[in-house]
Amino acid sequence: MSTSLAIQPSSSSEPVKLYKCIPIPRGSISNVWELQAIRMVIIHNVFIRAYNSMLHYSTQVSPSNAKRVNSFIRYCGLVNAAVHEHHHVEEDSYFPWVEERLGAGSMSANVEGHHSFEGPFKKFEELVASIRDKSVSFAPDEFRAAIYGFLSPFIDHLTSEIETLRVDKLKNIPEAEVRKMESDTEKIIREHSNLMTSAQVWVMNGDGKYGVWFPPMPAPVLWVCMNVTYHFNSDLWAFGACTKNRKIKPEFAAYEPELEPETS
């Protein structure tokens, strides 16, 4: 079950629930089998931080400030798009590859998990789109209610998916095949990445402690992302859970992950 904690918003008597990130699996990212679960948690925690940031900053965006509302809503839309892109890569490439090696149905629960929050998530997307095109006004309470409508089952799915990628399930896949899959998947992701938008979502909600290696960008490209392209839309990235240098902001520190307990 997803774990949430409450903070007191500045503009409402109702506490805002934020959610704890998923614990980081132990292991080495140089081990291609251990990497699968570790990286998936790093990715999933980006989404948890991003929706936490929406919930938190929704208390600080005045509906009367049209410019700030527009920046906030554009940020929300880019996060939603990142979720879709991640699920497309999983369903079109990654999960079928795993199923070919572990057997039919081994990843079916993960695909079904995507559908568990599909309806409420679509409603939130529609609300974001309607606010952006100004067909409805930004109403913070309604906005948060729409996020809460999908977030608990979404995080439950993100958490349970990790169990299907544990090293004990993947260790019999030949290393050469895993490394080729890694290379092929990285090419797909790079083809759909944009330093002005999608890459910023990952950096501004990334893990500066356990996941400094993600997203997997060459150091010069990451530098450009944090120090050049960031500034073109800095009004959007101000709503991320991290600073542009990938340091978690104090208001989100209590929700950061720990390492999983050691097993005997």
Side-chain angles (χ1 to χ4, degrees):
M1 296 290 290
S2 55
T3 302
S4 64
L5 302 170
I7 62 171
Q8 196 71 26
S10 59
S11 60
S12 171
S13 59
E14 287 294 317
V16 172
K17 292 188 302 181
L18 302 187
Y19 290 76
K20 188 81 174 175
C21 287
I22 303 167
I24 308 294
R26 291 181 180 270
S28 169
I29 62 172
S30 63
N31 179 311
V32 291
W33 300 280
E34 293 177 344
L35 170 64
Q36 305 309 308
I38 296 170
R39 180 178 52 211
M40 195 64 81
V41 170
I42 296 294
I43 291 170
H44 288 179
N45 283 344
V46 166
F47 297 138
I48 295 173
R49 290 188 191 94
Y51 288 110
N52 274 348
S53 73
M54 292 182 202
L55 291 165
H56 174 78
Y57 284 113
S58 69
T59 69
Q60 300 180 19
V61 175
S62 171
S64 63
N65 188 332
K67 183 177 180 180
R68 187 163 166 82
V69 168
N70 182 62
S71 298
F72 181 57
I73 291 301
R74 286 175 61 203
Y75 166 73
C76 298
L78 288 169
V79 172
N80 291 342
V83 172
H84 277 297
E85 184 59 36
H86 173 63
H87 286 165
H88 286 320
V89 171
E90 286 184 325
E91 294 186 12
D92 296 345
S93 304
Y94 187 54
F95 291 163
W97 181 90
V98 175
E99 281 214 341
E100 279 184 17
R101 288 147 182 85
L102 300 188
S106 55
M107 295 287 109
S108 59
N110 294 343
V111 177
E112 291 166 7
H114 292 173
H115 301 308
S116 66
F117 55 88
E118 193 171 52
F121 184 70
K122 184 175 182 180
K123 288 182 180 178
F124 176 64
E125 288 186 291
E126 291 171 347
L127 177 62
V128 168
S130 296
I131 296 170
R132 181 156 187 196
D133 68 20
K134 299 181 174 57
S135 58
V136 302
S137 298
F138 173 63
D141 289 341
E142 178 187 7
F143 177 86
R144 286 191 291 274
I147 295 179
Y148 289 135
F150 73 85
L151 196 52
S152 284
F154 178 59
I155 294 176
D156 288 342
H157 158 69
L158 297 181
T159 303
S160 64
E161 190 173 274
I162 305 307
E163 298 309 311
T164 68
L165 301 173
R166 295 290 185 179
V167 65
D168 61 305
K169 293 182 170 62
L170 305 178
K171 63 184 179 182
N172 292 326
I173 302 176
E175 181 175 358
E177 292 185 22
V178 181
R179 293 200 180 278
K180 183 177 186 307
M181 177 275 297
E182 290 282 309
S183 177
D184 292 345
T185 302
E186 190 169 318
K187 288 178 184 175
I188 293 171
I189 292 171
R190 284 184 176 176
E191 286 173 2
H192 293 87
S193 293
N194 184 320
L195 288 183
M196 299 287 287
T197 53
S198 58
Q200 297 291 347
V201 171
W202 299 105
V203 171
M204 298 310 301
N205 294 289
D207 191 324
K209 182 176 182 180
Y210 299 112
V212 293
W213 46 272
F214 189 88
M217 297 180 185
V221 177
L222 181 61
W223 186 91
V224 170
C225 187
M226 293 192 297
N227 296 285
V228 180
T229 58
Y230 166 89
H231 294 286
F232 286 93
N233 292 295
S234 59
D235 55 320
L236 278 62
W237 316 129
F239 296 110
C242 301
T243 68
K244 75 179 183 70
N245 296 314
R246 296 198 293 182
K247 302 296 184 183
I248 193 71
K249 295 175 182 175
E251 52 266 46
F252 303 106
Y255 309 95
E256 283 299 280
E258 304 87 16
L259 283 173
E260 288 181 343
E262 290 191 71
T263 55
S264 55

